[in-house]
Structures are given as structure tokens and as C-alpha cells.
Amino acid sequence: MKKFSYISGINYMKFLVIVLVFLSSNSAYTQMKIIDNLKYVDPQIGGVAPFLEPTKTRIHLPNSMVRMYPDRKDYKDDQIKSFPLTTRKHRSDPLFSLLPVSGNVPENLVPISAWDQELEIAHPYYYSTWLEDFNITLEFSPGEKTGFYRFNYGDKELRKLFLKKLNGVDWQLNEDGSLTGTESFEGMKAYAYGVFDVKGDFTQVKTGKNSTNSWITWNNTELKQVNFKYGISFISIEQAKNNLEKEIPNWDFEKVKNNAKDKWSNVLNQIEVEGGTEAHRRSFYTALYRSYERMINITEEGKYYSNYDKKIHKGEQNFYSDDWVWDTFLALHPLRYILQPDMESDMIASYVRMYQQSGWMPQFPQIHGDVPPMNGFHSTIMILDAYRKGIKNFDINVAYEAMKKNALEGTMVPWRLGAASPLDKLALKLGYFPALHPGETETEPLVDSFEKRQAVAVTLAQSYDDWALAQLAKDLGKEQDYEYFSKTAKNYKNLYWKEKGFFMPKDAAGNWINIDPKFDGGMGGRDYYDENNGWTYLWNVQQDILGLQKLMGGRDTFEARLDRMFREDLGRSVYALNAKFPDFTGIVGQFSMGNEPSFHIPYLYNLTKSPWKTQKRTRMLLNTWFKDNIFGIPGDEDGGGMSAFVVFSSMGFYPITPGIPIYTIGSPLFSKIKINLPNGKVFAINAPNCSEKNKYIQKASLNGKNLEGPWFTHEDLVNGGTLELEMGSYPNKTWGTSEESIPQIFKTSN
């Protein structure tokens, strides 16, 4: 055996050093390093809304019951009212609000404090801000059903905590030093149980006939910090205490913070990207974080309270609430079918149980019950989409029963719940929702005086919903139902006025109502459309895109109309448009990026002779309207509805028709995307030459097989594989253009 000499050992060590230096500078090695994508998340993106509602600086765990945010108007507002222990629904409605103060603040007044934007620290797992009026630095980290506050006092004034009285909240400081609260809202109650690491004195001051201010005071002016941890429950105070003791048994703030950080890292690192700009990564991962705000899991130690039947349930699947299907069925639920299918199964099962508990399949299920915003029964589409993508841990037969009941017995009148009205029955007979002429008096008492009939939008929504019901009937072998709902799914054709080239309203006698589809219909176009004008609703036939092409006169006319929409002048000043269509935001020509019905429109070019225009449009829209700053959302973000569009589009593909398990390809922002699937497999997108300039696909392949068009299936994705995209700075105007490249399911699903 050859002996190992001292000299050869030195040479060997030199060789190792050289190799390590080379590898550390080599890009391939650098790419192998694990990057925690959490660092790219900025909860303050979109914190100022140039148009509608700003995003909240919301701190929480993924899909958790506790969601905290500083209660202020937006990022510009230099005063914070308070900090909630949680919120009961997306966007607002805090529960159990508090504010630490110092000094001799009058106890009969409600305190408020200025803050400093540059001193605020906001991560999904940790929040800190300086309260200027009281020289207090507040910190917070979340648990699932718990939270941990730290109040750091910077002066030697009296230390106090204001407990805000909202919605009939009843605060009580108990003999053992624990703080309990019960707050009533929307016919149900929330419960809080909290403890301090320093005992304080509790006082209440009457401020009016039915109002009281509650305070906790620490008379030790040398006290530097007060820690407060708490649990939340919708079952009882005792359950809130159990939640706290289970999740945060000790006074270790850093442990809570690190645990929250780990949970966020796990979900955000499920998608890994390379290439792209820092700005793109910030926008992308912030959008991914926002896709995990809701639905929220309200199951507590194996049981949950449902206000749908006002009972406590035990031994069931996790129960989720807080959703707006009109906003979320398009992209947010489809994103979860990929990333969190087990959780999505529980969410769909929750919908089914809500039907069993209340008698109706909900559309906007909140913690306290279903609410009636918008129009349509789009939970029908959501459930079909889930079922066809392998989400099956729920009772599909009960789900179908609920969907059918909604379609045949429920009202389609916007912003209303319950049984069908005479207007609904007339619409069923006519094959379209009848509209009123301008100035005509409403005859149906159920119609909301502001929301109006939305006759065209409702007809289009019903057509999509009934298409989904027909498709599920077919999948379940219910042939008679399939035949019936396949016919009603065609009702959208009854409102296409060929000479005008738009979906237009008809009265109950079958007469066209000649309006300007760009601007008529009152506030938000609600007499005929909904929040958007006729240009948006022209494309609201996702379930039968090829049928829509035929209505328009073919592929060429369809493409020309798409081009025209992105170029069409408003025909009036922007402020005149905004005054009447405040939701019509993120405008490009007559296209509105800031509202959900528009999300699929840029992808429609993939069914024309110019798929490259989808690549051009989606890149432009992402780069224009989703910047990584406080103005980075072009409309209402809607709790993940819009953010999921950003996630999909940034990865370069999109679920163009929920209910059809097909994805269509756009233009990725990153040169490599790796989706780590829950089944242990990986779906990767490689676009090695991708850059801001190189946005056009020259050719594509999936698992080594050439793709003739911009399509792949959900099965392709969840089975794992690699999508290869060769990118260039100019479009390949021949790739994906033939009608033969369009998936057969689009041709046969109607």
C-alpha cells in the first residue's frame, strides 16, 4: 500500500482550497445554496391604494385564526388607533383592540398615537413600531390561535394599556391576573384569554350611557417592558385559555417569533426561483404570502363552533371560513390545488358542511355566516375545479345536491341570499336575466337600490355556473341533469348583440336595450354589468371560449377585438370614468387589471393565431401594475384573489378556465422555477435565457417532448416534470398558432 506522505497531504489540502474557492465563485454552486424566500416578503407593498382599498400590514401564520394589523387608514395615515388581538374577516373588523400608552392620559378619552413609517418593521412573523406620542416600542409575533405582544416603555411616565370597547366587548381582569374578554359580533361571540408577566391594576371609566373605557395601569415608572400573551376562541374563554397554554406555555417571545418564521419559510420555500430582478422577487413572494391569509382554520383542539347552525362540532375535518368565492375561484383556490391540496380538501368539505348546517351552499362564507356580496354561485365552479384536480376528501354527492339546489331554487339577484324571487323564475323562463330600460321603475322588491339587477353580468355568471353543474353531472353519471344544465349554460348567447359586438341587455319582452356598453348603466354599470363595463364582460365566457369566438365571427375577429380592447380610448376623462366606475382600475385601454373578471383576458390570445401577444401583455401588466412598493396593487387585493394571479403569471402559466384542468402558458419572470409538490415530486420550469428583454417563447417542451402550443394539464404538473422554454427578445409568430394545438377538452366540454 502506498504511504501517505506529509508533502502529498499539503498538496491535497491546497487542492481542496482551490476547489472550494472555485465552487464558491461558481454560479452553479451559488444557485445550490438554500435561500430563505421569506426575506423578499414586504407586507407594506400595496399599503397605499390610489384607487380602492389598501392592503393591510397584516401579521399572521398561514391560514391562521389570529391576524393582527395596526389599525390605521393606510400607510400614509400617520396615526394608529389600536392593535387588535385578531380580525374576524379579511380587510377589517378588529376584535379585542388595545393600545399601550404612557403618562396621565385622561381615562374618559380614547387615545391615539402617531407613528414613524421608517421605524416600522413588518414581516409576516414579526411586527414592531414606535408609538410617537407615548415613546413606546410595540412588538408582536403570532401563533395559530394566539399572539404575543411586548410593550417597551421609553420614558419614566405612568405605564398604561387601553382596552378598546367595540361591538359590546366585555373586559375583565381576574384575581389571578389574567385578562378575559368576550366580544359580540354578527350574532355570535369571540373570546379572549390573556396573561401579563407583570401584574397591573384594572379600572373602568364610564364615558356615556352605554360605553366604558377599560384600562390596566402599572404604577412602576421604572418598568421597561410588559409582556402580554393571549389566546383566542370562538367556543369559550376556557378554550381560549387552552389554546394559549398549548401554543405559548412559556414567556419566550423569541421562540414564538422563530416558530412563526419557520412556518412561513416552509410555505414560501415551496416555490424556488432563480433569475429575475430583486423587485420581481419581492412582488412575487409578497403575493405568495398574501395567498395564505385565508381561508382561516377555526378548529380548536378537534372541535369548532359553527354559527351556520349555532352548534359546537367535534371529531370532524378542520373547519375553514372567511372566503369570497367571486374573487377567489379564479386563481386563489386553483393555486392551493397545487400547493396545499389537503388543506383545500378541508376547505371544500367546510363549504359542504355549511350547506348541511344552513340549507344553502355559501358564496361569501364568513365566520358568522354567509353574506351576499356580488352575484353568481361560483362555489359551483370552485367545487368542479377541485374535483377534477383530485381534491376529493369531501362528500361530492352532497356538494352536487347543494349546487343543484342553488341553481334551481336560489335567487340570482345580486347581493341577496335565499329562495328564488319572481324575477328569478322569469329569468329561468326567458333564458336571460331581464333588464330595465334607463329610467324605468324597478318592480322587484328584492333588487337592491344601489346594486341594481346587473342583468348582463348575472346572465353570464349563471351560464358559467350551470356549465360547471352540467360538467359535474356528467362526471357523476347524472345524464338527465347534464342535458338540462348544458342547455341553460348556453344562455349567455341570448344576450350577444352581433351588430354591436357586445353582450347587451334585453327587456322582459325580448327587446334589446340600446346602451353605450363602455359607460352606461349607472354607478359601476350595475344596471347591466357589475363594477366593470361591457368591454370586460365581453370576455366573461371562460367556459366556452371557442363558442365565444364563433359568436364574434371567428378567431381573427376575436383577436382583433382583443387588440382593440387594449387600445380603445376611454372616450372621456379618467376622473369622469373613475367617478362612475371606481372599481375599473389598472386601466390599459378598456382593460381593467384591478378587478377579478379581467384576470383571464390577456391569456385569451393563446386561443388565437398570436399566442406571443399573451407573453407580451402579461409581462407588461406585471411590470406596470405590480411594483414592489406601497402602490403595488392596482385594485382591491381581496385577500389573495389578486395576489394569486401575480403568483401564477410570474411563474408563466395560468388556469384560464376553472373547471377545466388545463394551464395555459404565458411568460415567466424567472429563468428557473421549481415547485416542490406535497407528493414529493417537483415541477420545474426552465427558461435559461429569460430576462426582462427576452420574454418571448421560441419553442417549448415538456419532459423532452415538444409542445405544439402553450398548454399543459394539471396531471402533467402534479406528476412532476420539467417544462423547458426557449426564450428570445422577439416573438416566434408561428409557435402555438394552429387550431390543432388547442386542447381537445376546450372543443368538447360544451
Side-chain angles (χ1 to χ4, degrees):
M1 183 176 72
K2 184 178 179 180
K3 292 184 179 180
F4 180 80
S5 69
Y6 175 74
I7 298 297
S8 64
I10 292 177
N11 290 335
Y12 180 71
M13 293 303 295
K14 286 182 178 180
F15 172 76
L16 281 179
V17 170
I18 292 170
V19 168
L20 288 172
V21 169
F22 169 78
L23 286 175
S24 65
S25 63
N26 184 273
S27 60
Y29 175 81
T30 303
Q31 291 170 0
M32 290 168 60
K33 293 180 180 177
I34 297 175
I35 297 173
D36 189 353
N37 296 311
L38 185 54
K39 71 178 184 180
Y40 296 114
V41 176
D42 183 358
Q44 293 170 340
I45 289 176
V48 175
F51 307 107
L52 296 166
E53 292 288 335
T55 58
K56 302 293 185 184
T57 305
R58 202 178 295 279
I59 316 303
H60 60 95
L61 295 183
N63 303 97
S64 66
M65 209 160 84
V66 163
R67 295 174 287 181
M68 190 285 290
Y69 70 94
D71 189 5
R72 59 196 181 211
K73 294 176 184 176
D74 59 18
Y75 190 78
K76 303 192 309 300
D77 185 0
D78 82 328
Q79 288 186 306
I80 293 175
K81 298 175 185 176
S82 61
F83 300 88
L85 301 193
T86 190
T87 49
R88 60 184 173 91
K89 66 180 180 182
H90 165 70
R91 195 176 287 171
S92 58
D93 297 308
L95 290 172
F96 304 111
S97 294
L98 50 80
L99 182 72
V101 302
S102 64
N104 291 311
V105 178
E107 292 191 345
N108 63 330
L109 299 179
V110 174
I112 193 170
S113 179
W115 63 291
D116 187 313
Q117 280 87 342
E118 279 64 51
L119 294 178
E120 183 173 81
I121 300 170
H123 303 294
Y125 58 90
Y126 172 76
Y127 175 84
S128 174
T129 194
W130 177 60
L131 300 175
E132 180 180 317
D133 288 271
F134 306 113
N135 195 20
I136 295 171
T137 298
L138 174 144
E139 298 175 275
F140 174 82
S141 275
E144 296 282 351
K145 299 165 183 64
T146 58
F148 201 140
Y149 278 103
R150 287 202 297 207
F151 312 129
N152 302 286
Y153 295 88
D155 54 31
K156 294 189 176 182
E157 301 288 339
L158 202 63
R159 282 84 168 92
K160 307 186 80 171
L161 181 66
F162 172 66
L163 304 173
K164 199 167 186 177
K165 183 179 178 66
L166 287 172
N167 306 321
V169 62
D170 178 27
W171 293 105
Q172 183 173 334
L173 189 67
N174 304 298
E175 288 187 8
D176 63 358
S178 63
L179 177 71
T180 55
T182 302
E183 185 165 348
S184 302
F185 66 95
E186 302 286 353
M188 66 176 291
K189 293 181 178 180
Y191 304 93
Y193 175 90
V195 291
F196 299 92
D197 66 337
V198 181
K199 190 173 182 179
D201 298 319
F202 183 71
T203 57
Q204 289 186 313
V205 177
K206 214 164 177 54
T207 59
K209 185 177 180 181
N210 297 310
S211 58
T212 306
N213 283 356
S214 299
W215 298 84
I216 295 177
T217 304
W218 294 274
N219 291 305
N220 181 1
T221 58
E222 298 295 325
L223 189 64
K224 297 294 185 184
Q225 184 182 85
V226 172
N227 290 275
F228 174 61
K229 59 181 182 177
Y230 64 90
I232 292 293
S233 175
F234 295 113
I235 296 174
S236 66
I237 288 175
E238 185 64 28
Q239 184 61 54
K241 180 181 180 181
N242 291 345
N243 294 340
L244 175 61
E245 291 175 345
K246 179 181 178 182
E247 290 189 27
I248 313 179
N250 304 310
W251 288 101
D252 192 338
F253 183 88
E254 291 302 317
K255 184 176 181 180
V256 174
K257 176 180 173 182
N258 289 332
N259 179 63
K261 185 176 182 180
D262 288 343
K263 289 191 175 184
W264 274 113
S265 294
N266 287 338
V267 296
L268 294 173
N269 291 336
Q270 192 175 357
I271 303 178
E272 304 171 52
V273 302
E274 297 174 15
T277 66
E278 286 286 304
H280 286 154
R281 292 183 183 214
R282 280 167 49 80
S283 295
F284 174 74
Y285 282 108
T286 300
L288 185 57
Y289 137 77
R290 287 220 167 89
S291 299
Y292 279 93
E293 185 201 335
R294 58 181 191 163
M295 303 171 74
I296 62 167
N297 183 1
I298 64 170
T299 302
E300 309 173 51
E301 291 190 312
K303 55 186 179 292
Y304 67 91
Y305 171 79
S306 173
N307 210 43
Y308 290 80
D309 62 359
K310 303 187 183 304
K311 294 179 181 178
I312 295 173
H313 296 257
K314 299 179 181 180
E316 299 178 1
Q317 284 173 261
N318 285 333
F319 191 76
Y320 285 80
S321 189
D322 192 9
D323 196 11
W324 300 349
V325 179
W326 193 86
D327 305 282
T328 58
F329 85 97
L330 294 159
L332 182 57
H333 282 279
L335 183 62
R336 270 197 298 264
Y337 304 149
I338 298 170
L339 299 178
Q340 303 287 339
D342 289 343
M343 181 168 65
E344 184 66 29
S345 282
D346 289 346
M347 291 177 181
I348 302 295
S350 299
Y351 267 85
V352 175
R353 278 177 281 164
M354 290 173 194
Y355 160 69
Q356 293 173 310
Q357 294 164 9
S358 70
W360 295 101
M361 178 68 81
Q363 307 305 311
F364 276 60
Q366 305 298 289
I367 294 170
H368 66 273
D370 196 17
V371 292
M374 309 310 292
N375 59 64
F377 298 127
H378 293 336
S379 57
T380 297
I381 305 167
M382 174 190 72
I383 291 171
L384 170 69
D385 201 30
Y387 185 74
R388 284 184 160 179
K389 291 176 178 174
I391 309 297
K392 296 184 178 179
N393 190 20
F394 63 95
D395 193 324
I396 187 60
N397 291 306
V398 175
Y400 180 82
E401 172 191 303
M403 294 155 62
K404 185 176 177 180
K405 180 181 178 183
N406 278 5
L408 296 179
E409 301 177 34
T411 181
M412 288 287 289
V413 174
W415 290 72
R416 291 292 184 259
L417 295 173
S421 68
L423 181 60
D424 292 289
K425 294 172 183 177
L426 176 60
L428 194 64
K429 185 185 299 183
L430 294 172
Y432 62 88
F433 215 71
L436 300 175
H437 290 266
E440 189 176 353
T441 302
E442 180 57 67
T443 57
E444 172 53 61
L446 197 62
V447 174
D448 185 89
S449 60
F450 177 78
E451 293 296 336
K452 304 302 177 85
R453 292 192 179 191
Q454 303 176 17
V456 177
V458 167
T459 300
L460 296 172
Q462 170 268 315
S463 296
Y464 194 175
D465 297 341
D466 281 12
W467 169 85
L469 188 51
Q471 293 296 301
L472 187 56
K474 184 179 181 181
D475 291 353
L476 296 178
K478 301 177 184 295
E479 191 62 30
Q480 191 173 354
D481 284 358
Y482 168 68
E483 294 294 336
Y484 176 81
F485 289 111
S486 290
K487 291 177 182 177
T488 59
K490 301 293 186 184
N491 283 347
Y492 76 89
K493 296 182 179 182
N494 296 330
L495 294 187
Y496 187 74
W497 193 347
K498 187 174 181 180
E499 290 74 20
K500 299 289 184 180
F502 286 96
F503 289 106
M504 299 281 278
K506 279 182 180 177
D507 64 20
N511 302 307
W512 290 111
I513 301 175
N514 192 9
I515 62 166
D516 175 7
K518 290 169 63 171
F519 200 64
D520 283 348
M523 177 59 71
R526 286 178 172 84
D527 286 325
Y528 312 116
Y529 306 109
D530 183 16
E531 297 188 349
N532 300 268
N533 66 16
W535 269 109
T536 297
Y537 283 95
L538 175 58
W539 314 99
N540 218 216
V541 191
Q542 289 162 263
Q543 75 281 8
D544 191 12
I545 300 170
L546 297 182
L548 179 60
Q549 284 188 354
K550 290 179 182 177
L551 278 184
M552 289 186 179
R555 293 178 89 200
D556 292 343
T557 304
F558 183 86
E559 181 180 340
R561 296 284 282 166
L562 279 169
D563 287 342
R564 180 180 167 189
M565 179 194 57
F566 282 104
R567 297 164 180 164
E568 179 85 355
D569 189 81
L570 295 178
R572 54 198 42 83
S573 65
V574 174
Y575 70 80
L577 179 78
N578 288 344
K580 193 168 181 178
F581 284 88
D583 298 272
F584 191 74
T585 60
I587 299 171
V588 180
Q590 288 287 336
F591 173 80
S592 168
M593 184 71 260
N595 208 258
E596 285 80 4
S598 299
F599 288 175
H600 71 291
I601 294 174
Y603 290 95
L604 291 175
Y605 282 111
N606 281 349
L607 288 103
T608 74
K609 296 176 183 177
S610 302
W612 61 271
K613 291 180 181 177
T614 282
Q615 299 152 36
K616 173 185 175 182
R617 296 292 185 196
T618 54
R619 278 291 195 99
M620 182 275 290
L621 292 167
L622 289 173
N623 285 326
T624 301
W625 292 115
F626 298 99
K627 296 289 189 182
D628 63 326
N629 58 42
I630 57 171
F631 302 105
I633 301 291
D636 285 344
E637 195 273 337
D638 288 326
M642 192 167 296
S643 288
F645 168 86
V646 176
V647 173
F648 271 119
S649 296
S650 298
M651 292 192 295
F653 65 98
Y654 189 72
I656 190 169
T657 301
I660 295 179
I662 295 282
Y663 300 101
T664 194
I665 300 171
S667 179
L669 293 179
F670 309 105
S671 58
K672 187 171 184 178
I673 299 116
K674 180 182 175 184
I675 304 174
N676 300 299
L677 299 166
N679 60 11
K681 298 180 181 180
V682 172
F683 185 77
I685 301 170
N686 291 334
N689 295 320
C690 177
S691 67
E692 291 197 74
K693 183 179 179 181
N694 293 342
K695 61 177 177 283
Y696 293 108
I697 297 172
Q698 308 302 301
K699 62 181 181 180
S701 65
L702 181 64
N703 298 330
K705 183 179 179 181
N706 286 338
L707 289 180
E708 299 301 321
W711 310 95
F712 62 91
T713 69
H714 183 73
E715 186 178 13
D716 291 330
L717 192 155
V718 297
N719 284 340
T722 301
L723 175 65
E724 295 279 354
L725 302 176
E726 183 179 314
M727 310 298 291
S729 57
Y730 294 95
N732 177 351
K733 294 187 177 182
T734 62
W735 181 72
T737 60
S738 70
E739 289 190 72
E740 289 72 27
S741 68
I742 297 172
Q744 187 66 22
I745 193 170
F746 284 100
K747 303 172 185 177
T748 59
S749 64
N750 290 282

